[in-house]
C-alpha cells in the first residue's frame, strides 16, 4: 500500500515536471529561402529541429547549435532547416566540414556550386550570421536565407506591398534592402522598375494570385510577394 502510494505520487510528480519543463530541442517553423544563381530553389515555411546532417564532402555531424559550444542547448539551426527542406523537396546540397568550427561550409545547393569567387552566404533576418549554419540557432518565424554569390552584393532585396489588389487598379509596391532598410531604385518587379524611393506601381488585368519578386543584376533577388487580384 505504501509502495503504491509512493509510486502514484512519483508518477504524478514526474508528470508535473514533464509538463512544466520545456521540451528539449522542440523545433521551430522558419521562413526558409534559397536564392540560386538563376532561380529561387526554395521559398516557404519549414519545420526544423536540431539533428545530425550528412553531406557527401563533409560526412555526418551534429547540427543543433551546440557545435563549437556556440549554444548550451540543442535547437534548430539554419543548416538543419536547409537539410529538412532538401529532404522535403528532394533537392541535394553539399558542404565541407571544418573541425576548427565544428561546422559545415555549404558549397552547393541543387546544382548551384560555388566557384573561386562566388560562395553561398547565410543571412538570418537579413543579417549575415556571425557563425556557421550549424552553430547559428533559429527561432519561430525567423527568415533564413541561403544566397548564391551572396557576399558583397549591392543589395539584399525585400519586396513589400498589399496582399490584395483590385483588377485594373494600380498598387504601390516597395523595394528596399532588407539588410540596411534603404530604398532600392532600379529593381524590376513584374516588368516595372522601382523609382528613387524604391516604389513600383503595378496594375493587374487578370484575376487570381500573382507571385512577385524584385530582381536587380547586382543584388540578391527578393522574397516572394503573393498578391490576390480581385474584382
Ligand atoms: C551525430 O554526429 C556526431 C558528431 O557530430 C556523432 O558523434 C554522432 O554519433 C552522430 N549521431 C548519429 C545518430 O549519427
Ligand atoms: C529524388 O531525386 C533523385 C535524384 O534527382 C531521384 O533519383 C529520386 O527518384 C527522387 N525521389 C523522389 C521521391 O522524388
Amino acid at each position: 500500500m505504501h509502495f503504491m502510494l509512493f509510486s502514484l505520487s512519483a508518477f504524478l510528480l514526474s508528470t508535473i515536471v514533464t509538463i512544466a519543463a520545456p521540451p528539449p530541442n522542440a523545433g521551430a517553423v522558419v521562413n526558409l529561402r534559397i536564392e540560386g544563381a538563376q532561380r529561387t530553389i526554395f521559398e516557404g515555411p519549414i519545420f526544423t529541429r536540431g539533428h545530425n546532417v550528412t553531406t557527401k564532402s563533409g560526412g555526418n555531424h551534429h547540427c543543433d547549435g551546440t557545435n563549437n559550444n556556440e549554444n548550451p542547448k540543442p535547437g534548430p539551426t539554419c543548416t538543419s532547416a536547409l537539410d529538412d527542406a532538401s529532404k522535403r523537396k528532394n533537392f541535394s546540397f553539399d558542404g565541407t566540414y571544418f573541425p576548427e568550427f565544428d561546422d559545415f561550409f555549404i558549397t552547393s545547393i541543387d546544382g548551384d556550386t560555388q566557384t573561386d569567387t562566388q560562395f553561398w552566404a547565410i543571412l538570418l533576418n537579413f543579417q549575415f550570421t556571425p557563425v556557421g549554419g550549424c552553430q547559428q540557432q533559429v527561432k519561430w518565424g525567423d527568415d533564413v536565407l541561403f544566397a548564391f554569390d551572396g557576399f558583397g552584393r549591392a543589395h539584399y532585396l525585400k519586396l513589400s506591398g498589399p496582399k490584395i489588389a483590385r483588377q485594373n487598379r494600380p498598387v504601390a509596391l516597395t523595394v528596399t534592402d532588407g539588410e540596411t532598410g534603404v530604398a532600392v531604385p532600379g529593381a524590376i518587379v513584374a516588368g516595372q522598375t522601382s523609382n528613387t524611393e524604391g516604389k513600383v506601381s503595378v496594375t493587374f488585368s487578370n484575376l487570381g494570385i500573382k507571385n512577385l519578386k524584385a530582381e536587380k543584376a547586382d543584388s540578391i533577388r527578393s522574397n516572394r510577394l503573393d498578391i490576390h487580384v480581385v474584382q
Side-chain angles (χ1 to χ4, degrees):
M1 182 61 187
H2 279 133
F3 175 72
M4 274 182 66
L5 275 178
F6 174 76
S7 316
L8 183 63
S9 57
F11 170 74
L12 287 175
L13 188 65
S14 73
T15 307
I16 289 163
V17 168
T18 304
I19 290 166
N25 194 10
V29 174
V30 299
N31 303 308
L32 176 66
R33 189 151 65 87
I34 304 172
E35 297 296 350
Q38 305 297 335
R39 72 203 196 287
T40 300
I41 292 167
F42 182 92
E43 180 166 3
I46 192 92
F47 175 80
T48 185
R49 50 166 65 103
H51 62 267
N52 272 38
V53 166
T54 303
T55 68
K56 195 163 167 256
S57 304
N60 173 21
H61 303 279
H62 64 158
C63 186
D64 60 8
T66 64
N67 299 53
N68 212 17
N69 298 317
E70 185 62 26
N71 297 277
K73 288 185 182 152
T77 64
C78 294
T79 301
S80 75
L82 169 65
D83 188 55
D84 284 314
S86 83
K87 283 169 180 153
R88 169 107 71 87
K89 291 286 166 157
N90 197 29
F91 63 82
S92 65
F93 74 98
D94 198 8
T96 46
Y97 175 77
F98 288 84
E100 62 270 42
F101 301 117
D102 188 17
D103 210 331
F104 294 96
F105 185 79
I106 301 304
T107 54
S108 178
I109 302 178
D110 200 20
D112 285 351
T113 301
Q114 70 176 29
T115 68
D116 289 345
T117 55
Q118 299 166 304
F119 305 96
W120 279 97
I122 310 176
L123 290 88
L124 177 59
N125 298 321
F126 277 107
Q127 305 299 319
F128 285 95
T129 58
V131 291
C134 289
Q135 297 167 75
Q136 182 64 58
Q137 287 186 340
V138 294
K139 302 186 305 293
W140 274 82
D142 275 347
D143 290 318
V144 179
L145 169 61
F146 285 79
F148 180 80
D149 194 13
F151 294 102
R153 302 303 293 270
H155 300 292
Y156 299 82
L157 301 182
K158 182 174 181 177
L159 179 62
S160 51
K163 299 241 179 299
I164 293 180
R166 302 287 300 277
Q167 186 180 26
N168 297 322
R169 304 262 190 91
V171 285
L173 312 179
T174 308
V175 183
T176 55
D177 183 319
E179 191 192 13
T180 62
V182 301
V184 178
I188 310 293
V189 184
Q192 307 296 310
T193 305
S194 59
N195 68 14
T196 50
E197 277 112 51
K199 300 282 183 201
V200 194
S201 178
V202 183
T203 305
F204 303 100
S205 51
N206 296 323
L207 301 175
I209 309 260
K210 311 293 168 191
N211 312 124
L212 304 181
K213 285 200 160 224
E215 303 209 28
K216 196 166 185 284
D218 60 3
S219 302
I220 296 298
R221 78 179 68 79
S222 77
N223 56 291
R224 190 184 70 227
L225 182 66
D226 298 330
I227 302 185
H228 195 176
V229 182
V230 298
Q231 267 184 334

